[in-house]
mmCIF file of all heavy atoms in Angstrom:
data_model
loop_
_atom_site.group_PDB
_atom_site.id
_atom_site.type_symbol
_atom_site.label_atom_id
_atom_site.label_comp_id
_atom_site.label_asym_id
_atom_site.label_seq_id
_atom_site.Cartn_x
_atom_site.Cartn_y
_atom_site.Cartn_z
ATOM 1 N N PRO B 194 97.542 18.092 -26.566
ATOM 2 C CA PRO B 194 99.015 18.310 -26.441
ATOM 3 C C PRO B 194 99.681 17.296 -25.551
ATOM 4 O O PRO B 194 99.033 16.674 -24.709
ATOM 5 C CB PRO B 194 99.032 19.669 -25.800
ATOM 6 C CG PRO B 194 97.773 19.866 -25.102
ATOM 7 C CD PRO B 194 96.700 19.080 -25.857
ATOM 8 N N CYS B 195 100.951 17.178 -25.756
ATOM 9 C CA CYS B 195 101.771 16.309 -24.891
ATOM 10 C C CYS B 195 101.539 16.788 -23.460
ATOM 11 O O CYS B 195 101.121 16.041 -22.587
ATOM 12 C CB CYS B 195 103.211 16.446 -25.267
ATOM 13 S SG CYS B 195 104.274 15.419 -24.227
ATOM 14 N N SER B 196 101.771 18.119 -23.226
ATOM 15 C CA SER B 196 101.678 18.641 -21.839
ATOM 16 C C SER B 196 100.692 19.851 -21.800
ATOM 17 O O SER B 196 100.609 20.583 -22.818
ATOM 18 C CB SER B 196 102.976 19.277 -21.398
ATOM 19 O OG SER B 196 103.972 18.269 -21.634
ATOM 20 N N ARG B 219 93.443 14.811 -24.463
ATOM 21 C CA ARG B 219 94.604 14.425 -23.627
ATOM 22 C C ARG B 219 95.402 15.661 -23.305
ATOM 23 O O ARG B 219 95.296 16.709 -23.939
ATOM 24 C CB ARG B 219 95.463 13.410 -24.395
ATOM 25 C CG ARG B 219 96.229 13.993 -25.602
ATOM 26 C CD ARG B 219 97.676 13.159 -25.846
ATOM 27 N NE ARG B 219 98.640 13.630 -24.896
ATOM 28 C CZ ARG B 219 99.660 12.919 -24.465
ATOM 29 N NH1 ARG B 219 99.730 11.692 -24.869
ATOM 30 N NH2 ARG B 219 100.510 13.373 -23.628
ATOM 31 N N LYS B 224 104.649 15.013 -15.951
ATOM 32 C CA LYS B 224 105.330 14.496 -17.089
ATOM 33 C C LYS B 224 106.603 13.698 -16.749
ATOM 34 O O LYS B 224 107.450 14.141 -15.987
ATOM 35 C CB LYS B 224 105.839 15.710 -17.859
ATOM 36 C CG LYS B 224 104.703 16.505 -18.598
ATOM 37 C CD LYS B 224 103.832 15.652 -19.534
ATOM 38 C CE LYS B 224 104.510 14.939 -20.566
ATOM 39 N NZ LYS B 224 103.573 14.026 -21.331
ATOM 40 N N ARG B 340 111.739 7.598 -33.271
ATOM 41 C CA ARG B 340 111.922 7.589 -31.836
ATOM 42 C C ARG B 340 111.842 6.214 -31.243
ATOM 43 O O ARG B 340 112.564 5.823 -30.257
ATOM 44 C CB ARG B 340 110.866 8.553 -31.283
ATOM 45 C CG ARG B 340 110.884 8.697 -29.784
ATOM 46 C CD ARG B 340 109.987 9.824 -29.289
ATOM 47 N NE ARG B 340 109.969 9.939 -27.835
ATOM 48 C CZ ARG B 340 109.329 10.822 -27.138
ATOM 49 N NH1 ARG B 340 108.520 11.665 -27.736
ATOM 50 N NH2 ARG B 340 109.383 10.833 -25.775
ATOM 51 N N ASP B 362 99.374 4.680 -30.344
ATOM 52 C CA ASP B 362 99.894 5.990 -30.262
ATOM 53 C C ASP B 362 101.070 6.211 -31.303
ATOM 54 O O ASP B 362 102.200 5.827 -30.985
ATOM 55 C CB ASP B 362 100.397 6.284 -28.828
ATOM 56 C CG ASP B 362 101.207 7.596 -28.667
ATOM 57 O OD1 ASP B 362 101.497 8.252 -29.642
ATOM 58 O OD2 ASP B 362 101.590 7.897 -27.495
ATOM 59 N N SER B 364 102.321 8.955 -32.276
ATOM 60 C CA SER B 364 103.089 10.154 -32.029
ATOM 61 C C SER B 364 104.386 9.746 -31.309
ATOM 62 O O SER B 364 105.542 10.050 -31.757
ATOM 63 C CB SER B 364 102.388 11.082 -31.182
ATOM 64 O OG SER B 364 101.142 11.433 -31.836
ATOM 65 N N HIS B 365 104.283 9.046 -30.166
ATOM 66 C CA HIS B 365 105.481 8.618 -29.406
ATOM 67 C C HIS B 365 106.183 7.490 -30.127
ATOM 68 O O HIS B 365 107.426 7.315 -29.983
ATOM 69 C CB HIS B 365 105.142 8.236 -28.064
ATOM 70 C CG HIS B 365 104.740 9.396 -27.101
ATOM 71 N ND1 HIS B 365 103.345 9.780 -27.112
ATOM 72 C CD2 HIS B 365 105.358 10.328 -26.429
ATOM 73 C CE1 HIS B 365 103.320 10.878 -26.327
ATOM 74 N NE2 HIS B 365 104.510 11.186 -25.961
ATOM 75 N N GLU B 391 99.172 13.256 -30.546
ATOM 76 C CA GLU B 391 99.516 14.598 -29.974
ATOM 77 C C GLU B 391 99.235 15.738 -31.008
ATOM 78 O O GLU B 391 99.704 15.662 -32.090
ATOM 79 C CB GLU B 391 101.068 14.550 -29.475
ATOM 80 C CG GLU B 391 101.171 13.731 -28.212
ATOM 81 C CD GLU B 391 102.509 13.807 -27.553
ATOM 82 O OE1 GLU B 391 103.533 14.188 -28.207
ATOM 83 O OE2 GLU B 391 102.595 13.520 -26.402
ATOM 84 N N CYS B 401 107.075 20.441 -24.991
ATOM 85 C CA CYS B 401 107.420 19.018 -24.999
ATOM 86 C C CYS B 401 106.834 18.351 -26.302
ATOM 87 O O CYS B 401 105.731 18.607 -26.621
ATOM 88 C CB CYS B 401 106.652 18.514 -23.759
ATOM 89 S SG CYS B 401 106.876 16.732 -23.437
ATOM 90 N N ASP B 402 107.693 17.611 -26.876
ATOM 91 C CA ASP B 402 107.249 16.762 -28.038
ATOM 92 C C ASP B 402 106.678 17.551 -29.183
ATOM 93 O O ASP B 402 105.820 16.985 -29.922
ATOM 94 C CB ASP B 402 106.356 15.689 -27.574
ATOM 95 C CG ASP B 402 107.085 14.607 -26.762
ATOM 96 O OD1 ASP B 402 108.301 14.613 -26.779
ATOM 97 O OD2 ASP B 402 106.389 13.743 -26.160
ATOM 98 N N GLN B 405 106.831 15.891 -32.838
ATOM 99 C CA GLN B 405 105.859 14.765 -33.218
ATOM 100 C C GLN B 405 104.409 15.236 -33.166
ATOM 101 O O GLN B 405 103.481 14.484 -33.394
ATOM 102 C CB GLN B 405 106.064 13.603 -32.325
ATOM 103 C CG GLN B 405 105.703 13.851 -30.829
ATOM 104 C CD GLN B 405 106.269 12.753 -29.942
ATOM 105 O OE1 GLN B 405 107.299 12.178 -30.131
ATOM 106 N NE2 GLN B 405 105.473 12.436 -28.922
HETATM 107 MN MN1 MN F 298 104.517 13.343 -25.473
#
Side-chain angles (χ1 to χ4, degrees):
C195 180
S196 312
R219 69 152 282 152
K224 294 304 302 176
R340 182 172 177 177
D362 170 355
S364 306
H365 291 90
E391 286 188 339
C401 182
D402 288 349
Q405 67 193 33

